[in-house]
Amino acid sequence: MRSVVAIALGLLVPFLGLAGVGEAQSTIEVQGTIQAVDCDAQTITVDNGGSVNTIAVTPGTAISIDSANVPLCALQQYIGAPITVWLAANGNDFVAAQIEVSGAAYGPASPPPPAPAYEPSPLPIVGVVLGTIVVAGLIFLLVHGPDGGYYRYPYYGAYYHYYYRPYYRPYYGYYPAVCPVVYVPVPIVGIVLGTVVVGGLSYLVARDHDGHFYRYPYYGPYRQYYHAAYQPYHGTYGSAPFNAPIRQGDPRWDGPSHAGGPGAAPAFRGPSQQAAPTNRQPDPRTLQSQPANQPAWRGPSQQTAPTYRQPDPRTFQSPAYNRPAQQPRYNDGGRYSAPQNYRGRGGNCGQQSQGQSCH
């Protein structure tokens, strides 16, 4: 009986030894730095210097930072930190059996530097500078571009110090009457819909988040500034993109405050746009009295004209100078006889009272 047990143990020992060896070789240690952590997919990406591996994490994976157990999503704050992962076979793939992160050797991630503020600056001159010209009181550099077109670069104010060269001289040769001016470009705001051609010049059409359309120059040197392959626009917004305002220039370069300095021409402001005064008749309902030193205008007098009334023949008495003269009458004896309408007391009235006629 003892011999049988000894033989059985002798046969099992080699198998037990191989099983221990297989268990010892079931985990693989991988060291590197954390490159990415995906909480949704439950994976972690490790960069070990020679390769980048994405490892699956199971609910049974032990995750710790300086021996403190944490969930997988906590590792998102430790991108770039040193990590040690022990891998275990799971079918034909490997999963993370244990993850250890050294937080002490990795400080908190510094915030990214703020994006530099946009500083507008003129475009470099592209083409051959023919010389200086004066248009509307301002000095420009006339440039013949490589595309055969003529362009004007401002040569006043701040532009003068930027483009100045001692060998630029006045130009008296031929140039077209209309040359586009190359001002400081501005950043595009919104979504670029494509290119349109207006007046023989190309523009980029952009639509901002409020639905407004803007055009950006896309001709001559501007094509180097907007270095992208934009296609012609064939949208359904009608004529709005073609009539959109043009965005170019910057007040710090184009403002009148920069129009001084040596060699700079004064800024051209154009004719005055003041409206001619209009003669308005004051409203008598709202007219207020003026100060004592200024007489108030009260308008024409509103007195009513006298009305003519026809005299009543019953009450009208003609003036004395209009009455016919009463001629005295004489009787046959030559004695004076008073008129019949005499109302006084006379010799022929007898005892008649005043107001009665005498016969």
Side-chain angles (χ1 to χ4, degrees):
M1 184 66 183
R2 293 181 179 177
S3 61
V4 173
V5 173
I7 294 173
L9 292 174
L11 295 174
L12 290 175
V13 167
F15 289 102
L16 292 175
L18 291 176
V21 172
E23 182 179 358
Q25 297 295 328
S26 62
T27 59
I28 302 175
E29 181 179 344
V30 176
Q31 295 182 350
T33 58
I34 301 175
Q35 188 178 53
V37 177
D38 191 341
C39 296
D40 297 331
Q42 291 291 300
T43 59
I44 183 171
T45 303
V46 179
D47 183 3
N48 60 2
S51 62
V52 177
N53 300 312
T54 300
I55 304 170
V57 179
T58 64
T61 303
I63 304 174
S64 61
I65 300 176
D66 293 335
S67 302
N69 294 331
V70 295
L72 175 63
C73 295
L75 301 183
Q76 290 181 337
Q77 302 179 0
Y78 291 87
I79 302 299
I83 187 176
T84 301
V85 182
W86 285 268
L87 303 178
N90 184 15
N92 296 329
D93 204 351
F94 289 92
V95 296
Q98 183 179 354
I99 298 175
E100 177 67 30
V101 178
S102 177
Y106 178 77
S110 59
Y118 174 72
E119 293 293 338
S121 61
L123 291 176
I125 296 178
V126 179
V128 179
V129 178
L130 302 179
T132 61
I133 58 175
V134 178
V135 179
L138 296 176
I139 303 177
F140 296 88
L141 290 174
L142 182 64
V143 178
H144 191 201
D147 57 353
Y150 291 84
Y151 303 96
R152 285 184 292 159
Y153 288 74
Y155 200 53
Y156 52 82
Y159 292 101
Y160 175 82
H161 302 282
Y162 185 84
Y163 289 126
Y164 172 75
R165 297 292 184 275
Y167 45 81
Y168 290 155
R169 294 290 183 266
Y171 177 73
Y172 301 102
Y174 163 80
Y175 64 89
V178 178
C179 300
V181 182
V182 181
Y183 292 108
V184 168
V186 296
I188 298 177
V189 178
I191 301 175
V192 176
L193 303 179
T195 62
V196 296
V197 178
V198 179
L201 299 175
S202 298
Y203 295 90
L204 290 176
V205 177
R207 186 170 182 264
D208 62 8
H209 63 281
D210 292 330
H212 300 129
F213 294 93
Y214 296 97
R215 283 186 293 156
Y216 297 82
Y218 196 55
Y219 49 79
Y222 289 103
R223 294 189 65 88
Q224 297 184 3
Y225 177 72
Y226 303 122
H227 51 82
Y230 297 112
Q231 301 299 322
Y233 170 73
H234 301 288
T236 58
Y237 293 104
S239 61
F242 296 88
N243 299 328
I246 301 175
R247 296 195 64 188
Q248 63 177 349
D250 187 89
R252 286 171 286 184
W253 289 85
D254 308 323
S257 60
H258 296 283
F268 177 73
R269 299 179 181 274
S272 176
Q273 300 296 331
Q274 296 180 357
T278 58
N279 184 14
R280 295 184 178 180
Q281 196 73 7
D283 191 350
R285 298 172 299 177
T286 59
L287 182 64
Q288 299 179 356
S289 60
Q290 303 295 328
N293 57 350
Q294 295 184 3
W297 186 87
R298 299 183 180 276
S301 176
Q302 302 296 331
Q303 297 180 359
T304 58
T307 58
Y308 175 77
R309 296 182 180 180
Q310 189 74 13
D312 190 350
R314 297 174 297 177
T315 60
F316 177 76
Q317 296 180 0
S318 60
Y321 55 84
N322 288 332
R323 294 176 182 175
Q326 299 291 336
Q327 300 293 334
R329 295 185 297 174
Y330 298 89
N331 54 15
D332 294 339
R335 186 178 294 179
Y336 170 76
S337 176
Q340 293 182 359
N341 59 353
Y342 177 73
R343 297 180 183 275
R345 293 179 181 270
N348 296 334
C349 291
Q351 298 300 324
Q352 297 294 331
S353 62
Q354 187 178 0
Q356 296 179 353
S357 61
C358 296
H359 299 281

